[in-house]
Amino acid sequence: GIDAPSLVEAIRRTGLVEGGVHYAESMAMGVEALAQSAGQGDVILTLGAGSVSQASGLLLQRLEAAETAEAAN
């Protein structure tokens, strides 16, 4: 079988992904990492099965909260 860390390493070895490939141990960690690295105009695509379908909504909430906090300062 294959697990997520092995898949990430295999993708890294191809050298075809600009900007690197990153693995997060949990959806919350992944959402936080994306929220920290996302920039204006970036497109973020989430793919997978199961609960990963919730990631885009969680990320949007996190980004909106950061934007609101930034506007308040």
Side-chain angles (χ1 to χ4, degrees):
I2 188 163
D3 58 13
S6 298
L7 179 60
V8 167
E9 186 54 36
I11 294 169
R12 276 188 188 132
R13 281 194 306 267
T14 70
L16 298 174
V17 179
E18 187 176 323
V21 178
H22 307 281
Y23 170 72
E25 291 188 29
S26 70
M27 187 181 328
M29 291 172 72
V31 165
E32 186 60 28
L34 285 169
Q36 293 294 321
S37 63
Q40 186 72 23
D42 284 354
V43 175
I44 299 171
L45 176 66
T46 58
L47 300 171
S51 63
V52 75
S53 64
Q54 300 168 9
S56 58
L58 293 171
L59 178 59
L60 182 58
Q61 289 174 358
R62 172 64 176 77
L63 292 171
E64 287 173 340
E67 187 175 280
T68 300
E70 188 174 302
N73 289 330

